[in-house]
Amino acid sequence: MTDLDLVSRQALVDNGFTPDESADVRTELATLRAPAAEPGLRDMRALVWSSIDNPTSKDLDQIEVAEASADGSIVLRIGIADVDALVPKGSAIDRH
């Protein structure tokens, strides 16, 4: 784990989150099927995203990242998760 990973993990714990999933969650995760990839979509999980959800939110489904472009401008990316597309309401993953 990097220092940023450790700081992020501690921030989750300090704000009442449980960063480690339970056995029930791991079992459900193993059965999830990814949706069909749409043309033009890119995997951007390696970027250092941060949450833009309000401080009392516990779902963390809105994120942002800013990147400097080669020309010096800033690109702001915003991600909004459609959790219902894969995670059934009331499931172990949903509760986590």
Side-chain angles (χ1 to χ4, degrees), residues 32-43:
L32 286 182
R33 293 179 43 182
E38 294 186 31
L41 291 183
R42 294 183 299 153
D43 184 347

Side-chain angles (χ1 to χ4, degrees), residues 11-12 14-17 51-60 62:
L12 287 170
D14 291 348
N15 285 282
F17 290 93
S51 173
I52 57 174
D53 288 285
N54 62 18
T56 59
S57 178
K58 294 297 181 185
D59 55 9
L60 302 182
Q62 301 168 30

Side-chain angles (χ1 to χ4, degrees), residues 45-79:
R45 289 177 284 184
L47 298 176
V48 183
W49 296 90
S50 61
S51 173
I52 57 174
D53 288 285
N54 62 18
T56 59
S57 178
K58 294 297 181 185
D59 55 9
L60 302 182
D61 57 355
Q62 301 168 30
I63 55 177
E64 59 78 31
V65 63
E67 302 172 284
S69 294
D71 67 2
S73 64
I74 302 293
V75 174
L76 176 63
R77 299 181 190 277
I78 297 175

